[in-house]
Amino acid sequence: MKINEDPAQAANTIERIKDMMNGERAGGTHVSDLIFCLRKSKARKQGLFPDQSPSDTLIFAVGHAIQAYLVGGGAETKVYKDGVHGSVDWVDEDGIPWEIKATYASSARDIKDSKHYFDQLGSYCYMLGKTCGYLAILYINGAYSYLRKKKPGEPQVQNERAILKVYKVEWEQEELQAKWNILTWNKLEFERAAMWQELPARPAFDWECNYCTLYQTGECPGGKSGR
C-alpha cells in the first residue's frame, strides 16, 4: 500500500466547498454589513480584505453542515426591509426565525458575551415581525477552560466533545425597534461613505480590531465600542 498526501486535491476540494457555500447573494446592504465595524464592512465591499483562508472556509463549512442537518437541507429565507437584506438560516413552521452557529469557543462561556449573535437574530425577528427567535449553537469542542479543563457546573460526560445548545430569545417590541433604529442609522452612514476611511473608527465590539487587517497594518487606529 502506498500513501501520499495530495495538497493539490485538498486545495481543489476546499475551493469546491467555498463555491457551494457562496451561492447567490443579493446586491446592496445586508444585516451582516451593519452589525459589525462599518469601516471593516466598507473595506470588504471595496475588495481590500484578502480572500478567506482555507481554515476559515472549513470552519464556515462546519456551520453550513450543521445548519443543513437542523433544517433538513432547506434553503435560507431571504428577507428585505427598509433597504436592508437579510438571510435567515431557517424560518420554522410557526414563522419563527432560527440563527444557527458552529463555534470552537467553549460551551462554558456565557452566551451573553456573544452579543453579535443577538444583534443578528434580533434584526431578523424585526424584519419578520416576530418578537422571539431561536439561537442554535454547535460547540465543536464542548465545554473547556483555556487549559482545556472542564469548568465547574458544566456536564461532566467522559470524552464529550460536540455540544448543541438551543436558546429561545424573546424581546419586547420596543427593544427590537431600538435595535433596528441603530441598524438603519448605520445603513445611512455606511451607504453615504464612498471609502472606508470616511467612516468613524468605531468597532461594534471591542474584539473586532484584533481580527482586522486594517488595524494590524496600522491603516486604521482602531477604537472602543462602548459595549
Side-chain angles (χ1 to χ4, degrees), residues 45-64:
K45 290 273 191 186
Q46 293 175 232
L48 299 183
F49 277 87
D51 199 13
Q52 68 187 35
S53 69
S55 176
D56 288 338
T57 296
L58 293 173
I59 290 172
F60 292 141
V62 172
H64 278 258

